[in-house]
Amino acid sequence: MPVDVVADLEQDVGRPIITEILADLAGFVLVPKAQAEALGLNFHGHFADVSRADTDVEAGMADALRDGQVSPAEAASLLPKVRRAEQEMAELEKDLIQLAAANVTPMRRGA
């Protein structure tokens, strides 16, 4: 079905029924923007922060392992990067828990 037809159908129905099913099939939950914003959630920001922190850890490990081993000095320099990545993941987890508790029910096939 063409996207414009789906958009018209969903507008007529008053709910993004097909979009919800497609999101569920892809492993996502469709959440209204207003609801996510009301909760103060910023998943794009979390993704950027987690990705950046993980990249810093990966780059540091790659540099440390260049000679085949991690020295005590390299380990010490990696610890703040690992802690930052843990912090970013914890912040993401906190917001995911908040969203999960907001009574948002994922769309199920056939529902």
Side-chain angles (χ1 to χ4, degrees), residues 45-61:
H46 282 308
F47 182 74
D49 293 341
V50 167
S51 295
R52 190 175 299 111
D54 286 349
T55 299
D56 289 345
V57 171
E58 291 170 7
M61 281 299 297

Side-chain angles (χ1 to χ4, degrees), residues 8-89:
D8 289 343
L9 171 68
E10 291 181 338
Q11 185 174 14
D12 289 346
V13 172
R15 186 172 142 218
I17 56 176
I18 294 173
T19 303
E20 288 173 336
I21 293 169
L22 291 173
D24 182 57
L25 290 172
F28 292 86
V29 176
L30 190 63
V31 179
K33 285 182 183 180
Q35 184 175 3
E37 290 168 1
L39 293 171
L41 306 177
N42 178 3
F43 290 107
H44 291 328
H46 282 308
F47 182 74
D49 293 341
V50 167
S51 295
R52 190 175 299 111
D54 286 349
T55 299
D56 289 345
V57 171
E58 291 170 7
M61 281 299 297
D63 289 343
L65 289 170
R66 190 172 308 248
D67 64 357
Q69 58 188 5
V70 178
S71 72
E74 290 167 330
S77 72
L78 280 166
L79 283 173
K81 294 175 184 182
V82 170
R83 289 183 183 125
R84 178 69 180 160
E86 289 173 339
Q87 177 186 354
E88 295 301 343
M89 290 295 283

